[in-house]
Amino acid sequence: MNPAQVDLKQTVNLPRTDFSMKANLPQSEPKTLARWEAEDLYGGIRASRQGRPVYLLHDGPPYANGKIHLGTAFNKILKDFIVKSKTMAGFDSPYVPGWDCHGLPIEFKVDQELGSKKAKMTTSQIRGECRKYAQKWVNAQREDFKRLGVFGRWNDPYLTMTAGYQATIAGAFVDFLDKGYVYKGLKPVHWCTYDRTALAEAEVEHEPHSSPSIWVRFALATDPAHIDPALAGKRVYGLIWTTTPWTIPANMAICYHPTFEYSAVEVGGDVYIVASDLLRVTAEKCGWTGETVLARFAGEKVEHAVFRHPFLDRDSLGILGDHVTLEQGTGAVHTAPGHGNEDYVVGQRYKIATYCPVDAAGRYFHAEGASGVLPEELIGKNVWEANPMVIEILRKHSALLGQEKVDHSYPHCWRCHRPTIFRATEQWFIGMENNDLRQRALAAIKKIKWMPTWGEERISNMIAGRPDWCISRQRVWGVPIVVFYCDKCREPLTDRHILDGVVKLFAEHTADIWYDRTPAELIPAGTACHKCGSTEFTKEKDILDVWFDSGSSHLAVLREDNGLRWPADLYIEGGDQYRGWFHSSLLVGVGLKGDAPYRECATNGWALDGDGRPLSKSLGNGVAPEEIIKQYGAELLRLWSASVEFNEDVRISPVILTRLTEAYRKLRNTFRYILGNLCDFSHETDAVSGDELLEIDQWILFRAEDLVRKCRAYYDDFQFHKVYRAVYDFAAVDLSNVYFDILKDRLYTSAPKSQARRSAQTALYRLGYSLVRLMAPILTFTSEEVWPFLGEKGSVHTAYFPAPEELTREIPAAQRDRAPAWDQLMTVRDEVLKALEIARRDKFIGAPLEARVVISAAPGLYGLLRDYEQELPGLFIVSQVELQEGGTETIGVEVARASGTKCERCWKFTEDVGQSAQFPTVCASCASVLGELGL
């Protein structure tokens, strides 16, 4: 061939790949998902790990009501990171997703949809509509979760409304009953007057609320001298403070702390008993002046004193309790056992009736259980309407000494967000002291690994201080409490063999059978009440708390016949689940199986906007996952989930997404660079042995080995943000800014099959093959896209994580000892690049290859540079390097114009351009390559 006709550009080994620079994730991801489903990739992963050690993450069931939000997506992606990383670490890590399908939110929505039709429907028909509604949202959410690239047993999830699961729930109740944990009693519970049902602790949220606070006096009816002789013949009053005036009609006692000091203070001829530490603030609130302290005494002196209710014909007993504090008020606590847990507990000690004159809708009625007839103007009024009415009644009876508004945190229903009340009703409870459940749960907590560590203290405090668990609800969409009552004497029928028979029917027909059949059809013939002998029975109408449902999930799902084992290795949910699923699961596990159902428990934070505000439609900052996916693809949501420390609250905004888009592009282009330069390379036939790799190629593999080792540890600790940061920094700094930049000349201008180029390609292959597996749990779609371009078959998700030693296989140990020299050379390179940038800015040179760099170095560094003198031009990407020894400075860099002529092929300036008569415009090195190409 005539050399003049040679197109030198065509002799350069430019990268070639069909791996696109532009990801088009919103379009490409659905195609990948369809292929995975058609190939049953999840089944293939399970088969590939059969017989391996098991790691089990148990899915906390999201509620089947509405579309997923960003927080739900974040949690599901985190779970996917864990399952995929454990799978690639060599575990058999199945993931069975689930849904919580019962409860009031679904029933409420169905009520709205049915409207007036509901009145003509049977309970089973209403439950059928609830089932259809829940299934609709299960199907919708399942597609949303799959769209995120989350792998799992989507074709066979667990649903709390299936027959088997409902039987498990009912069976768990029967077990608790049989073991002596369960009782039915009249106790105050959180009550939503709007939804007309009891609420669990986990169903109560504290929100800002404004309440009227009042100071009310109760006249002492017994001899005051029994409290202190100085009070003989005086007109004495107990003085209470409350923020719930509506509970005054239910007052039965006034509680004092036994050891606090109280003062009897005289004001205008009346004497009031007030805690000494609260006397000054009480005087201010009540507008007292010139008060005189007549006596001081311990609270125990007031025990059994009798006060009179301010406007009812009723005594109010002086009692003692350690729950009384000096934080606010008067040191005397208005006690209404029907409307407060502490009031109830202390009332039981003094055998005070649990009186509750408020119905399910929060309206007053004439209730039995206490003397005194409520004022007629209160009857039929709800408690919120009654507050000002009660205050006015107190004023008329000269019992109101002060009032003001107070803004405070107050319990609200998590569903309707209306304020709740405490209301005594007959409910079913699991006793926390029965069978030492509380202490056993606290002991189990200590054996669990909590992430973050403060989770242990948080749930321990909740378990230690919680009341008995109210497990009954006054609704229809859920699992009924399987108890019968004698029609004649109302004695409960709780024979184990009878209830077990009902549980079996649930497993065959779902719990709907409780409503479809009569008691006679559910109870064996001939069954009689053991108390009165009657054979007629009725069914319990209440259902179980939905937290009992979800808290039983480990019993229903972690079973050998389901291919899983008990307990789970990990539960991971949002921070609200310390009083929710973590809590109820723990109690069910300890109560029925003697231990916690999870070995580790992790918490993820809340999703916030860029300003740290909760994401909310009402604030106008709500972001639906589908909106992000449509614009960027699910891969970016996954990258965002990996970029944040998930234990803390996490922020998302357009700025953050734009920044992550750039980060994704950098990672994608890292793979593209590798794949493009492997276009003519086969790792099976062209790879160079580790001991034959060029030293800089060995150096980058040592760096990658360290990266893999660190990231494997990060994955083990669920520190996905550190994986992301480490890989991104490696790609952006070690590879893009350094190694890839240095490598271009060798890859592009060396002979295609030369040892130098094959050495570079071998290193690139090892890097790519390791990075694609290292990032597969996070960049699920992109890693799958890269995989076949590396010559691999099947799916990257059936592969294993790289072992650190893979990268440095066959590299002699002596070469590892030389790696630090390259770290030092890179420091010199940084100084050279700074000098080159100044020269370019001053227009002394155009491109770095126009430069000759003169380096003066102190003796120690000079020796290192002399050892690597032949490598330095390529390392600095200049045409020539001159070394000089001497000077006190460690290093000095000068930039001069390169000598010689520019090679038209490699663009370096050399003195040997033109030495080849055949190719007079190229340097000797390029002429040699052209010769090898047969030109």
Side-chain angles (χ1 to χ4, degrees), residues 171-192:
F173 169 78
V174 172
D175 287 341
F176 268 108
L177 187 66
D178 189 57
K179 291 176 183 290
Y181 291 101
V182 177
Y183 68 93
K184 190 174 188 180
L186 179 68
K187 291 182 65 173
V189 294
H190 285 289
W191 187 272
C192 178

Side-chain angles (χ1 to χ4, degrees), residues 9 22 50 101 294 305 320 355 392 481 489 510 564 666 705 739 878 885 912 926:
K9 291 181 181 179
K22 187 172 176 59
Q50 192 169 5
C101 304
L294 302 181
L320 304 178
Y355 172 64
E392 187 56 31
I481 292 175
C489 71
T510 79
L564 306 173
K666 172 63 72 176
E705 177 190 60
Y739 185 64
V878 296
E885 182 178 10
D912 55 16
C926 285

Side-chain angles (χ1 to χ4, degrees), residues 322-395:
D322 291 334
H323 65 283
V324 179
T325 73
L326 297 174
E327 293 178 4
Q328 53 190 348
T330 66
V333 175
H334 148 57
T335 301
H339 295 292
N341 186 63
E342 289 173 331
D343 296 22
Y344 169 81
V345 172
V346 72
Q348 290 294 292
R349 199 160 67 239
Y350 285 90
K351 298 186 177 356
I352 297 172
T354 304
Y355 172 64
C356 176
V358 174
D359 68 13
R363 296 184 298 249
Y364 285 105
F365 71 104
H366 289 300
E368 297 180 357
S371 59
V373 179
L374 297 188
E376 282 302 319
E377 64 253 47
L378 294 180
I379 302 304
K381 297 293 189 296
N382 70 49
V383 295
W384 313 116
E385 295 173 318
N387 270 332
M389 299 175 68
V390 170
I391 292 172
E392 187 56 31
I393 292 171
L394 289 168
R395 181 179 286 109

Side-chain angles (χ1 to χ4, degrees), residues 218-258:
F218 287 63
L220 180 65
T222 49
D223 186 355
H226 289 163
I227 297 174
D228 191 281
L231 303 182
K234 296 290 185 179
R235 193 165 58 242
V236 179
Y237 295 88
L239 183 61
I240 64 93
W241 171 83
T242 182
T243 58
T244 55
W246 65 266
T247 61
I248 293 292
N251 174 274
M252 302 292 284
I254 301 176
C255 193
Y256 297 84
H257 194 284

Side-chain angles (χ1 to χ4, degrees), residues 555-570:
L555 301 176
V557 180
L558 308 184
R559 304 157 60 110
E560 288 187 12
D561 58 6
N562 196 31
L564 306 173
R565 56 117 170 103
W566 194 98
D569 291 290
L570 177 69

Side-chain angles (χ1 to χ4, degrees), residues 15-20 671-673 675-677 679 789:
R16 300 188 315 275
T17 181
D18 290 331
F19 182 77
S20 173
F671 283 120
R672 192 168 190 274
Y673 179 102
L675 298 175
N677 285 292
C679 57
F789 285 100

